[in-house]
Amino acid sequence: MALTILIIVLAVLVLGYLRAPLIVWSAAILAAIGYGLHTHGGNYLLLAAPALILLVLNVPALRRAVLTGPIFKIFKKITPAMSQTEQEAINAGSIWWDAELFSGKPDYDKLHSYPKPTLSAEEQAFLDGPTEELCRMIDDWKINHELKDLPPEVWQFIKDNGFLGMIIKKKYGGVEFSNYAHARVVTKIATRGGTAAVTVMVPNSLGPGELLQHYGTEAQKDYYLPRLAKGLEIPCFALTSPYAGSDAGAIPDFGVVCRDSYTDPRTGVRHENVVGVRLNWEKRWITLAPVATILGMAFKMYDPDHILGDKEDIGITCALIPTDHVGVEIGRRHCPPGSVFMNGPTMGRDVFIPLDWIIGGKDYAGQGWRMLVECLSVGRCISLPAMSVASGKFASYVTGAYARVREQFGMSIGKFEGVDEALARIGGYTYQMDSTQRLALTGLDIGEKPSVISAILKYHNTERLRKVLNDAMDIHGGKAVVLGPRNYLGKAYQTIPVAITVEGANILTRSMIIYGQGAIRCHPYVLREMKAAMNNDLVEFDDAFTRHIGFVLSNKIRAFVLGLTGSKIASAPAQAGELAQYYKDIERLSTAFALLSDMAMFSMGGSLKFREKISARLGDILSNLFIATAVLKRFADEGSQKDDLPLAKWAVLQALHDAQEAFTGVLANLPNRPLAFMLGWIIFPLGRHFTTPRDRLGTKIARLLMQPGGARDRLTRDVYVPQDETDAVGVLSYALQAHIEAESSEGKLRRAQRDGKLKALDAKGRLDEALASGLITQAEFDAVTRARRLKREVIMVDDFDMMLDKHDTEISQRQPV
């Protein structure tokens, strides 16, 4: 009897782990019952009842009549109603690698089959040529504190060299770069100046150019796209209003269909008695609005007189309006913290526009929300994530060098464990940010529009930007808290709230969007079930629901088995190498996530959408699984460089730990406590063992950032570094190399001073004394002198006269007291 039970238990575990289909389960159950009856002399008629049940389960018509039909009736009643806005948001974009993570068994061969992101020869030439030249032209201190804008020559250079047309097709005069190239360009510019980066970024993100290419009429494309590509038009897009920020679908701005006359400001031609829309709007926080020549406008369109048809509430609509059109108000500006990119309000009162100014023409009236959410999934993968990557790379470059050059208590501050720990976070989070964007950009460049992944990038990259800059500021200390041309971190630190807030505020993105969209879009069966309910399609519901039940049962078994074995029996791809265990751990947590997600939806039903804290933590799990797999993909794409192992390991371990903490948070707060207890036992049968990265691993990253080498170069690629000892960033590379070359000689001097061999009271005197006594050679004297001079350049801060209007650029040349 015991052997029989053991065989049955093992069979259940194996079939569940392998996700055997229903027919195999049925055959196995009957075989097990028959074996038991045969072994113990039972009556074979006892097989009749289970056989009948299994027959019902395996014959769709019977199953629908007896089981799924009644369930379908209940499901239709309890399924929460979905607004049109929610439906359009969920239907927007596509699912991709995020769906694999929801599957509970991600296909790593598929992951590594995605192409490695690369630049074409033309794109590389643009990055090395015009982009490099633009960075040379940028004086961020002058832009922010004197001009309050980009200089005219920089504006013109941006227009003349195609920076505003990176997404526009070549047939319209654009450069038609890949999304990967677009992000690389923005990243490089952002390492030199945030104002210039935003100016380039916005026209290539969600706005007229993107919308026209996808939805514009041929006439609109032919007129506007060449002008946008050449910088003859400066675009902006007005969505946000004082009363509708995160809830963009609630914009109060409206237009009413009517007949009127207008003069086209582009041609000067008067048009009489035409059908159009009379608009009223008040928008805020619109980037480039103060200088825009063409205004993209989102508004709610109404047709109370039924001029266009029977429908009165047509819906959100997008139009293009020349800013010199009668009634359009622009020109005033906001003042974002830490940057002076053009951003401001726009208003319009009774502004009449013809129907052919609607993007896509009359046929696209009311389609604006769908257009926006579909295009937003592209822009959100590029713009702010690229700015975040830039800050991480820049912080890694400057902080690593500064921590090696800056000394206290007789040694580089980067060698103190407290600083070492912060350096590890800077390097590790930067590796995460860069890896996640690389994978997302790969998806975009093969034709995907991953809306859930774009939300993951927007939230997690900007949050890591905040963490990285906080650590960089802490390490730089007094160097970073005094603004001036020498402070290369202060302005980036001040602008953090901008990244956190725009393109979907982070709190909303985490608590409502990532899992709110992901649970429905990425789950293999939930959306099918919901659509079946909305379409009253029992056949489709029966198939999806039956598979869903099997999916849940299989995940229960797989989660328990993988937890019990420490993921050892999970799969890993051929590329895994010494990172194989990480692939297995991700598969384990993916299975557990699929199970927990289903149980949360089952136990809370429609109320889950209102339990934002639980939804946020479920989103954190999905996000960190995406981050971990993106890191592994990036490491393999770059040839599995041994020097990069500390970065890859830290990044994956941190993501796994963060995912585990999110699991813990969900289990601790599930309303159904017995269910939470059971799930905790299934998912973590041996406890929670995903720890944060070990100190020794962090120290390797800190050393990597403080030492020139291949790993540091790969991590900080695209950081613009002027080859100039007088530049605050440029001097760091010279100072770092000089410091390394002089370290042994400086050590010799410290030991001689400690032993009483050098009597002078000041450092310069002791250096002269050491040379005169033969303690050091002339070459060593010269190396130490150069290293100290460059170190002084690095550590000095700016000062001004009492009125803060006169800056002393020669401060570092003063002799120390």
Side-chain angles (χ1 to χ4, degrees):
M1 185 66 177
L3 179 61
T4 301
I5 293 174
L6 178 62
I7 291 173
I8 291 174
V9 169
L10 289 174
V12 168
L13 293 177
V14 170
L15 291 174
Y17 185 82
L18 296 176
R19 291 184 167 172
L22 178 60
I23 188 67
V24 174
W25 274 97
S26 301
I29 291 171
L30 289 176
I33 296 173
Y35 174 78
L37 293 173
H38 173 76
T39 303
H40 301 288
N43 188 341
Y44 283 98
L45 290 176
L46 294 174
L47 280 171
L52 180 62
I53 293 172
L54 293 172
L55 178 66
V56 169
L57 292 177
N58 280 276
V59 178
L62 292 174
R63 187 174 62 230
R64 290 194 292 270
V66 176
L67 180 64
T68 56
I71 293 173
F72 186 48
K73 292 178 182 178
I74 298 172
F75 185 83
K76 287 190 290 183
K77 292 179 181 179
I78 64 174
T79 300
M82 191 180 300
S83 68
Q84 183 180 349
T85 299
E86 289 177 311
Q87 289 184 44
E88 289 177 343
I90 287 172
N91 292 331
S94 60
I95 57 172
W96 184 51
W97 181 246
D98 42 342
E100 286 292 323
L101 297 172
F102 240 104
S103 74
K105 196 175 186 302
D107 185 345
Y108 294 126
D109 290 332
K110 180 184 290 186
L111 174 68
H112 288 292
S113 73
Y114 298 141
K116 172 184 175 181
T118 55
L119 297 177
S120 68
E122 180 186 8
E123 291 167 342
Q124 187 66 58
F126 189 88
L127 194 65
D128 295 339
T131 308
E132 189 84 6
E133 180 60 29
L134 175 58
C135 290
R136 275 193 290 269
M137 297 172 70
I138 295 170
D139 182 339
D140 212 40
W141 174 259
K142 186 175 182 180
I143 288 168
N144 278 281
H145 289 272
E146 297 178 20
L147 300 176
K148 310 298 183 186
D149 187 12
L150 296 176
E153 62 272 17
V154 172
W155 269 107
Q156 198 59 48
F157 186 87
I158 287 171
K159 295 175 183 179
D160 292 345
N161 286 274
F163 284 95
L164 303 182
M166 286 191 288
I167 65 169
I168 296 176
K169 297 184 182 299
K170 289 183 177 179
K171 69 177 183 178
Y172 297 113
V175 295
E176 199 176 349
F177 281 170
S178 65
N179 295 288
Y180 179 62
H182 173 189
R184 291 278 300 274
V185 170
V186 171
T187 296
K188 186 157 198 169
I189 299 170
T191 66
R192 189 58 173 171
T195 297
V198 172
T199 302
V200 168
M201 177 182 81
V202 168
N204 291 290
S205 185
L206 176 62
E210 180 81 0
L211 293 170
L212 281 169
Q213 290 201 122
H214 286 89
Y215 310 107
T217 65
E218 290 305 313
Q220 289 171 342
K221 292 178 183 179
D222 290 340
Y223 179 79
Y224 278 115
L225 289 177
R227 296 177 62 80
L228 289 168
K230 296 174 184 176
L232 299 176
E233 302 277 6
I234 300 296
C236 70
F237 192 84
L239 174 61
T240 311
S241 87
Y243 303 102
S246 297
D247 186 10
I251 51 174
D253 316 287
F254 67 94
V256 177
V257 179
C258 62
R259 286 185 173 275
D260 205 338
S261 303
Y262 75 99
T263 300
D264 191 332
R266 298 169 297 178
T267 62
V269 176
R270 181 74 176 169
H271 300 270
E272 301 289 345
N273 192 32
V274 298
V275 176
V277 185
R278 182 174 289 109
L279 296 171
N280 287 274
W281 72 83
E282 181 186 17
K283 302 289 190 178
R284 289 288 186 273
W285 308 295
I286 310 304
T287 300
L288 295 184
V291 295
T293 61
I294 185 70
L295 174 65
M297 174 62 59
F299 61 94
K300 289 183 176 177
M301 185 169 165
Y302 300 94
D303 185 12
D305 297 329
H306 303 286
I307 295 174
L308 300 181
D310 295 334
K311 193 173 183 181
E312 291 189 12
D313 185 353
I314 294 176
I316 293 177
T317 302
C318 297
L320 288 179
I321 309 171
T323 56
D324 56 355
H325 187 48
V326 175
V328 177
E329 296 181 31
I330 63 165
R332 295 188 63 79
R333 64 188 292 190
H334 303 311
C335 186
S339 186
V340 294
F341 63 86
M342 286 295 168
N343 182 278
T346 174
M347 288 180 285
R349 293 289 178 268
D350 294 329
V351 178
F352 180 79
I353 66 169
L355 291 181
D356 59 10
W357 286 10
I358 293 173
I359 297 176
K362 174 185 172 183
D363 292 342
Y364 277 84
Q367 301 298 310
W369 185 246
R370 177 178 65 84
M371 294 158 61
L372 292 173
V373 292
E374 286 182 352
C375 290
L376 184 62
S377 66
V378 176
R380 266 202 313 207
C381 279
I382 300 173
S383 303
L384 289 172
M387 297 280 282
S388 302
V389 169
S391 292
K393 288 173 174 284
F394 185 77
S396 297
Y397 181 86
V398 299
T399 312
Y402 184 84
R404 182 72 178 270
V405 171
R406 176 65 165 166
E407 292 180 319
Q408 292 288 275
F409 307 102
M411 61 188 260
S412 296
I413 62 171
K415 295 181 180 179
F416 289 96
E417 287 199 355
V419 176
D420 165 310
E421 185 178 31
L423 280 171
R425 288 194 296 265
I426 292 172
Y429 282 134
T430 298
Y431 198 83
Q432 282 188 347
M433 288 190 287
D434 198 13
S435 301
T436 53
Q437 189 178 38
R438 282 169 57 101
L439 182 54
L441 294 171
T442 295
L444 292 181
D445 282 330
I446 61 175
E448 300 290 343
K449 289 186 177 181
S451 56
V452 175
I453 289 174
S454 73
I456 290 172
L457 255 70
K458 196 282 163 175
Y459 174 77
H460 286 278
N461 271 27
T462 55
E463 287 297 329
R464 280 155 176 74
L465 151 72
R466 173 153 44 189
K467 294 176 181 179
V468 163
L469 287 179
N470 277 337
D471 280 330
M473 291 288 289
D474 285 354
I475 292 172
H476 279 79
K479 167 76 174 177
V481 299
V482 176
L483 291 178
R486 297 172 183 279
N487 187 340
Y488 39 69
L489 284 174
K491 288 299 173 185
Y493 178 78
Q494 289 178 328
T495 59
I496 290 173
V498 176
I500 298 297
T501 302
V502 301
E503 290 192 0
N506 276 14
I507 290 176
L508 173 138
T509 300
R510 175 176 178 259
S511 62
M512 297 178 67
I513 295 179
I514 295 175
Y515 186 77
Q517 283 189 317
I520 297 174
R521 288 301 310 277
C522 300
H523 193 287
Y525 305 111
V526 168
L527 186 58
R528 286 182 61 192
E529 292 165 345
M530 293 180 69
K531 286 185 174 180
M534 287 188 286
N535 297 329
N536 199 30
D537 187 343
L538 175 58
V539 173
E540 172 66 9
F541 178 82
D542 168 70
D543 183 71
F545 183 78
T546 303
R547 293 177 185 275
H548 193 168
I549 295 300
F551 181 70
V552 172
L553 294 175
S554 171
N555 284 332
K556 283 183 180 179
I557 295 170
R558 284 176 52 79
F560 178 71
V561 170
L562 289 171
L564 202 62
T565 61
S567 317
K568 300 298 182 185
I569 64 172
S571 59
Q575 302 94 327
E578 61 181 287
L579 300 182
Q581 184 58 42
Y582 296 157
Y583 285 90
K584 297 178 179 183
D585 289 336
I586 292 168
E587 181 178 332
R588 172 191 169 186
L589 293 185
S590 173
T591 300
F593 169 65
L595 173 63
L596 182 61
S597 184
D598 271 317
M599 292 299 97
M601 287 188 281
F602 168 76
S603 64
M604 286 185 280
S607 68
L608 178 57
K609 68 187 285 187
F610 304 109
R611 300 297 294 267
E612 294 170 21
K613 296 175 186 177
I614 290 177
S615 179
R617 295 183 184 106
L618 289 166
D620 289 344
I621 299 170
L622 176 62
S623 299
N624 279 290
L625 293 176
F626 179 78
I627 290 168
T629 50
V631 167
L632 295 173
K633 164 75 167 147
R634 183 251 184 92
F635 183 74
D637 281 348
E638 293 187 335
S640 302
Q641 301 285 337
K642 186 176 181 181
D643 289 347
D644 294 349
L645 266 175
L647 290 163
K649 287 182 175 180
W650 191 101
V652 175
L653 287 170
Q654 186 64 49
L656 293 176
H657 172 75
D658 290 343
Q660 176 186 261
E661 293 306 293
F663 271 106
T664 302
V666 174
L667 293 171
N669 291 281
L670 272 181
N672 188 324
R673 300 314 301 150
L675 176 63
F677 176 81
M678 181 194 73
L679 289 171
W681 181 77
I682 291 173
I683 295 171
F684 298 110
L686 301 179
R688 296 165 176 80
H689 300 297
F690 293 107
T691 64
T692 55
R694 301 295 186 189
D695 289 347
R696 284 177 295 179
L697 186 60
T699 296
K700 290 180 181 179
I701 294 177
R703 297 290 187 265
L704 177 155
L705 294 185
M706 294 190 292
Q707 179 72 33
R712 183 173 184 263
D713 290 344
R714 283 186 291 275
L715 183 67
T716 61
R717 182 190 59 188
D718 293 333
V719 173
Y720 175 72
V721 182
Q723 303 303 305
D724 181 0
E725 288 186 8
T726 65
D727 182 271
V729 175
V731 70
L732 285 166
S733 60
Y734 296 101
L736 176 61
Q737 191 60 46
H739 177 86
I740 293 170
E741 292 172 359
E743 268 185 326
S744 60
S745 300
E746 288 281 20
K748 190 186 300 184
L749 291 169
R750 282 194 293 270
R751 290 190 295 273
Q753 181 186 1
R754 187 174 59 243
D755 295 341
K757 296 179 181 178
L758 300 176
K759 305 297 184 182
L761 299 179
D762 64 296
K764 178 65 167 62
R766 289 191 294 273
L767 182 61
D768 292 336
E769 189 179 349
L771 177 63
S773 66
L775 181 65
I776 60 173
T777 66
Q778 183 64 49
E780 288 178 305
F781 177 90
D782 293 341
V784 170
T785 300
R786 172 173 167 75
R788 288 180 177 179
R789 176 178 64 79
L790 292 172
K791 180 190 299 185
R792 181 172 171 78
E793 280 283 344
V794 168
I795 66 175
M796 293 307 294
V797 298
D798 299 280
D799 59 54
F800 305 81
D801 71 2
M802 287 290 288
M803 300 304 294
L804 291 177
D805 60 1
K806 184 178 180 183
H807 173 247
D808 186 350
T809 59
E810 303 301 321
I811 181 174
S812 67
Q813 303 305 317
R814 302 178 194 157
Q815 290 299 312
V817 177

